[in-house]
Amino acid sequence: MSLAWPEVERRLGPLVEALRGADRIAVLGHVNPDLDSIGSVLALHLALAAAGKTSWPVTPDPGSPYWAFLPGHDRLVVGAPEWLRPDAVAVLDTEIAPERLGQAWALVERAALRLNLDHHDTNRGGADAALVEPAAAATGELVFYLVRALGVPVTPEIAACLYAAILTDTGSFRYANTTARTLALASALVATGVEPHEMATRIYDTRSWAYMKLLGRLLSRLERTEDGKVAWMWVRHEDAVEAGLLASEVEGLAQYPRMVEGVEVALLFKETEPGVVRVSLRSQRFVDVAAIARAFGGGGHVRAAGCTLTGSLEQAIERLVQACRQAVQREVMAGEGAGTSCGTGEE
Ligand SMILES: [Mn+2]
C-alpha cells in the first residue's frame, strides 16, 4: 500500500500557498479537545516552526495531563491571550465556528486569514482556504500530507504527534475508518521512530486508582433495552468530581456499552454540570447516529456522534433511548439499512 493520496495532495495547494504567505500563524484545535485535535495542532505547529514561521499551538481548553509527553505540549497556549496577534489561523479537526472554538474564537476574529483542515462531513465551510476530507480517519492523517506538501521533513517529534492523533481517532485501529492507507501511514510514522507500545501505554493503559474504582461502579449499572440492541451507561456530575475524572477519560467510557454482544447503538450520558447532559452515541453497523444527534441539536459522524441536553439525567436517558430504539426498529424494518459507510471518531 502506497502512501500516495493524489486527490488530497492536489487539493492541498491553496492551503500550502496561504501558509507560505503568512508569517504569524496560530494553529487551533477544538473545544473539549481529543488527541486528534491536540496531536494535529502540535504536529502542524512543529512543521510551521521548522519552515521558519512564527507559530503558536492553541487549544480552547486544556487536554488530559496524560498527554503532556507529546513534543511541543509545553508550548500549548490555552485560549486567546491579548498578546497573541496572528496574521492567520489554521483551524484543525473542526469547522470554523464560535461554539467549536470557545475561548480561542477571538483569535479567528483577530486574524486576516482563516484556514481549515478537517475530516468531518458536517463541516459547513467558510474558510479562505480549506481541505475537508471525510475519508480521512483522523485530521492527523491530513496534517501528514500537509506537512509533506510544505516541504518539511516529518521528524520523530511530528511523527509522535500524528501517531497519537491517528491511534485515538481510529480507536486503536479498531473502528471502521481504519484503512490500508491509515495503517501504511502509521507504519511510516513508526519507521520514523514512534514506539507503538510506549504510545499505547501512555494513552490507554495508565489510569488512576479512583478511575478504576469508578469504572467498576459504572459497569455495574450498565443497562440495555429488552431486545438488547441499545445499551447505555451514565456518569453523574458528582461521580466524575469525586473520582477526579478527566474529560478525556469520561469520553473513553463510551466504549463499554458498545462492547456488549448484540448492541447496535451505545450511549454514554455524562452530566457535565447539574442540569446539563452531554450524550455520546456510537453505532455498530446500520443506525445513523449523526441523524439522531442532529434531532437533539448535535451532530457528528454516521457511527459516532454527540449532543447536549438540558434537564435531568433521567429525562435525557428516556428521550435518547426512545429515539435510538425507534431508529433501530426503522432500520430493522427496512432490512437493516443500506448505510454501512465508514464511521470515524466523534471529533
Ligand atoms: Mn478527528
Side-chain angles (χ1 to χ4, degrees):
M1 180 70 190
S2 124
L3 279 178
W5 196 357
E7 305 93 281
V8 158
E9 287 163 295
R10 197 176 52 242
R11 285 157 56 211
L12 281 168
L15 271 182
V16 170
E17 204 176 310
L19 288 170
R20 287 218 172 105
D23 289 320
R24 298 162 57 82
I25 306 161
V27 186
L28 276 60
H30 57 72
V31 292
N32 187 17
D34 56 14
L35 265 177
D36 190 24
S37 181
I38 300 266
S40 294
V41 163
L42 292 176
L44 184 57
H45 157 72
L46 292 169
L48 291 171
K53 305 292 181 182
T54 301
S55 157
W56 302 271
V58 180
T59 181
D61 312 305
S64 161
Y66 291 124
W67 306 341
F69 73 94
L70 285 175
H73 191 276
D74 54 341
R75 295 183 221 165
L76 263 178
V77 176
V78 177
E82 268 307 310
W83 56 262
L84 213 171
R85 299 275 155 182
D87 318 325
V89 287
V91 175
L92 308 185
D93 199 36
T94 173
E95 65 181 344
I96 304 180
E99 69 274 18
R100 298 294 295 145
L101 294 169
Q103 292 190 69
W105 175 251
L107 296 176
V108 174
E109 292 180 324
R110 285 175 211 164
L113 195 63
R114 300 165 176 196
L115 312 176
N116 193 198
L117 187 66
D118 187 19
H119 69 135
H120 291 88
D121 55 9
T122 48
N123 189 304
R124 292 169 294 179
D128 297 301
L131 177 69
V132 178
E133 178 47 73
T139 295
E141 268 196 68
L142 300 173
V143 173
F144 173 83
Y145 291 95
L146 179 57
V147 170
R148 281 213 312 195
L150 285 165
V152 175
V154 177
T155 59
E157 290 75 28
I158 293 174
C161 295
L162 294 178
Y163 187 90
I166 296 166
L167 177 71
T168 50
D169 253 27
T170 58
S172 312
F173 309 110
R174 288 174 304 168
Y175 299 158
N177 59 2
T178 305
T179 63
R181 193 192 49 249
T182 312
L183 293 168
L185 179 44
S187 169
L189 297 174
V190 170
T192 307
V194 173
E195 302 270 7
H197 168 256
E198 195 200 329
M199 281 286 186
T201 303
R202 285 182 179 277
I203 295 170
Y204 292 111
D205 298 342
T206 309
R207 293 293 175 262
S208 69
W209 178 251
Y211 171 90
M212 297 306 290
K213 299 302 277 184
L214 174 62
L215 178 60
R217 293 210 304 279
L218 297 179
L219 286 173
S220 71
R221 29 157 131 132
L222 200 58
E223 288 202 45
R224 61 176 172 175
T225 49
E226 325 67 63
D227 62 1
K229 294 268 194 266
V230 182
W232 63 96
M233 200 158 96
W234 70 91
V235 189
R236 285 199 184 280
H237 182 62
E238 58 264 32
D239 290 333
V241 171
E242 231 170 80
L245 215 59
L246 304 163
S248 58
E249 290 178 327
V250 176
E251 288 303 318
L253 296 170
Q255 67 176 301
Y256 296 105
R258 189 174 171 270
M259 285 166 69
V260 181
E261 190 177 19
V263 163
E264 171 55 24
V265 181
L267 300 162
L268 174 69
F269 296 88
K270 299 151 279 184
E271 197 181 30
T272 53
E273 53 189 279
V276 180
V277 182
R278 170 93 192 143
V279 190
S280 293
L281 300 94
R282 301 280 183 276
S283 71
Q284 289 286 20
R285 294 186 300 117
F286 54 85
V287 169
D288 178 358
V289 287
I292 300 172
R294 276 197 300 275
F296 291 91
H301 303 282
V302 178
R303 297 280 165 265
C307 57
T308 302
L309 278 75
T310 51
S312 72
L313 190 57
E314 290 70 21
Q315 285 164 337
I317 292 172
E318 198 182 314
R319 293 174 68 193
L320 258 297
V321 167
Q322 179 62 10
C324 292
R325 186 189 271 130
Q326 284 167 355
V328 168
Q329 280 165 0
R330 263 198 309 278
E331 292 294 335
V332 169
M333 305 271 250
E336 293 195 348
T340 50
S341 75
C342 287
T344 64
E346 185 179 334
E347 302 293 1

